[in-house]
Amino acid sequence: MTTESSGSWTRFTTSGDESTRSNIVQSVPLIEFDIVSPSMTGPHEIRTAIRDEMTTVLIGNERIIDYLSISLLTRGHILLEGVPGVAKTTIANGFARATGLDSKRVQMTPDLLPADITGTHVYKEATGEFELQRGPVFSNLLIADEINRTTPKTQSALLEAMQEGTVTIEGETMTLPKPFMVVATQNPIEMEGTYELPEAQRDRFQLKATVELPNEENELALLKRFDDRPTLSPADIERTVSPEDILAARETVAETHVSESVRRYIRSIVAATRDHPELDYGGSPRASLAFLQVAKAHAAIHGREYVIPEDVKRMAGPVLVHRLVPNTQAQLDDRTAENVVTEIVADVSPPSSDAAKSSPTATISEDGGFVEDSDENPDDG
């Protein structure tokens, strides 16, 4: 705690948890306080701050929020799939609010053109010249709502932006803001008037996450919350992190240790999809690279400086399912890519925990300090 005096007043500046601040306020009731939030520099702290803020509106979507954080911290993009009414767009909008990123939302429709996303040159009668009108892709977070309702031609307008972080308009290549992230949504049950994403487009999404219907407990809690506050919306979510926090956390994720045994484990899982008898196409090297990055981020947001096999197992489905193409026989047998990934993860032997660590490490405790590593669940709520 620090103090600052000027004339007739003294300011105490402190950081820490709410109980500590409350005790100080009670002991010195007539002194002005300037409360400073704890430093938001690590992936673990950022993940916690985003989850805590978003769950003031959302209930039961912590897993999806974590996937969004992982994509953001690894320069990835995410596809959210779910039936109508499970809050896919609300989650995306809430994430934009919590991260403070400049966001744009595009409702993807059959008549949407590529230029409606990227932008184009528009003739200005007042000046007699063409002026660049930038599209919504020039933002930090682009929400492509119901992406499978627009044509493949328009869907492909996102390819360069997602892969290179640039957009080319009439021969001129422009760099997009950093960070840049695409959050797309789609409805899996209503196929009339839709255009399934081609394999090349799906492969650009680092992760695919399914937003499930809430269980009884969460739905009852949701009804209670909105009964008490009927106007609650993503607009009530406050910014919790800064772009500087995000960029710093990205560096931490990049430095997360991955042992040779874990890299071989990742490669073995991806390679098993290429030879699987129920798949026409398995994971590409891009899938392997995405797998490596999200495993590092999963470890980092749980406060570890190294990747363990459990990080790999947890992220196998979101990384691989949308990249795999089941063959005709598998479809006739009602076998899905999810079934295949589950079996592969069960069949491929992971390295031992000791081999996976192979580096001195520590874990961030609840109060932000470091403690010796334990066998805690890496997906702890």
Side-chain angles (χ1 to χ4, degrees):
M1 183 173 66
T2 60
T3 62
E4 177 185 356
S5 299
S6 177
S8 60
W9 59 266
T10 300
R11 170 179 293 165
F12 284 72
T13 300
T14 184
S15 60
D17 63 322
E18 192 64 38
S19 61
T20 302
R21 295 195 294 265
S22 176
N23 290 337
I24 296 173
V25 171
Q26 290 174 7
S27 62
V28 194
L30 299 179
I31 296 176
E32 177 186 354
F33 277 80
D34 184 9
I35 304 301
V36 179
S37 298
S39 176
M40 197 69 62
T41 57
H44 176 76
E45 291 88 352
I46 286 178
R47 173 247 194 172
T48 301
I50 292 174
R51 282 183 75 171
D52 289 350
E53 183 60 28
M54 290 186 66
T55 52
T56 61
V57 174
L58 298 162
I59 294 176
N61 299 114
E62 290 83 1
R63 176 178 58 88
I64 305 299
I65 296 170
D66 280 356
Y67 291 160
L68 286 162
S69 297
I70 286 171
S71 280
L72 178 63
L73 295 178
T74 53
R75 300 171 178 82
H77 312 283
I78 186 168
L79 177 63
L80 301 181
E81 184 176 271
V83 298
V86 291
K88 299 184 297 296
T89 305
T90 300
I91 292 170
N93 284 327
F95 187 73
R97 294 276 303 180
T99 56
L101 297 176
D102 173 40
S103 65
K104 299 289 190 299
R105 177 177 176 266
V106 180
Q107 185 64 47
M108 309 294 267
T109 58
D111 60 345
L112 200 70
L113 297 175
D116 295 325
I117 296 176
T118 60
T120 188
H121 287 90
V122 178
Y123 181 73
K124 297 292 184 180
E125 188 174 355
T127 62
E129 297 178 347
F130 284 90
E131 182 178 304
L132 176 63
Q133 186 76 39
R134 294 173 183 260
V137 74
F138 287 91
S139 58
N140 295 124
L141 194 152
L142 177 66
I143 302 172
D145 210 3
E146 296 189 289
I147 192 171
N148 57 335
R149 289 201 173 278
T150 197
T151 62
K153 180 179 180 180
T154 303
Q155 291 171 358
S156 65
L158 289 172
L159 287 175
E160 180 187 358
M162 294 172 70
Q163 185 65 29
E164 308 294 340
T166 60
V167 167
T168 301
I169 301 175
E170 296 183 17
E172 181 183 357
T173 300
M174 287 162 279
T175 302
L176 296 175
K178 293 181 181 179
F180 173 72
M181 177 179 177
V182 174
V183 179
T185 72
Q186 68 176 15
N187 173 3
I189 63 172
E190 193 175 13
M191 303 310 295
E192 184 177 353
T194 63
Y195 304 86
E196 183 179 3
L197 287 173
E199 287 81 0
Q201 183 79 4
R202 294 202 304 267
D203 197 43
R204 294 307 196 281
F205 285 99
Q206 183 191 57
L207 300 175
K208 176 188 173 185
T210 301
V211 184
E212 304 284 358
L213 289 166
N215 59 29
E216 180 181 5
E217 180 184 355
N218 287 337
E219 191 162 11
L220 287 173
L222 188 70
L223 293 173
K224 175 68 167 61
R225 178 170 293 179
F226 279 84
D227 186 29
D228 294 339
R229 300 178 62 188
T231 61
L232 197 62
S233 74
D236 295 294
I237 294 175
E238 300 291 337
R239 171 178 167 176
T240 62
V241 299
S242 69
E244 293 76 19
D245 294 329
I246 294 168
L247 295 176
R250 282 181 168 184
E251 294 300 318
T252 301
V253 169
E255 295 169 359
T256 301
H257 175 74
V258 186
S259 68
E260 175 67 20
S261 62
V262 170
R263 286 197 295 270
R264 288 183 178 275
Y265 182 47
I266 291 172
R267 196 269 169 185
S268 295
I269 292 175
V270 177
T273 68
R274 299 168 188 164
D275 303 324
H276 199 280
E278 293 182 300
L279 299 177
D280 279 339
Y281 299 101
S284 67
R286 181 184 286 130
S288 300
L289 291 171
F291 211 163
L292 175 69
Q293 295 305 317
V294 301
K296 292 169 72 171
H298 189 271
I301 68 171
H302 288 90
R304 275 178 286 106
E305 297 175 340
Y306 60 91
V307 176
I308 60 175
E310 193 65 24
D311 295 313
V312 177
K313 292 178 182 179
R314 296 276 183 181
M315 299 309 301
V319 170
L320 293 174
V321 163
H322 60 295
R323 305 173 194 268
L324 308 184
V325 181
N327 58 30
T328 302
Q329 187 59 50
Q331 295 177 45
L332 290 173
D333 295 337
D334 289 328
R335 297 276 293 166
T336 65
E338 288 89 345
N339 299 143
V340 173
V341 172
T342 299
E343 291 178 0
I344 288 175
V345 171
D347 291 342
V348 176
S349 298
S352 67
S353 297
D354 290 340
K357 294 177 185 177
S358 66
S359 174
T361 187
T363 299
I364 301 175
S365 63
E366 290 184 0
D367 62 1
F370 287 86
V371 297
E372 290 184 2
D373 187 65
S374 62
D375 293 328
E376 63 179 342
N377 181 354
D379 203 17
D380 56 355

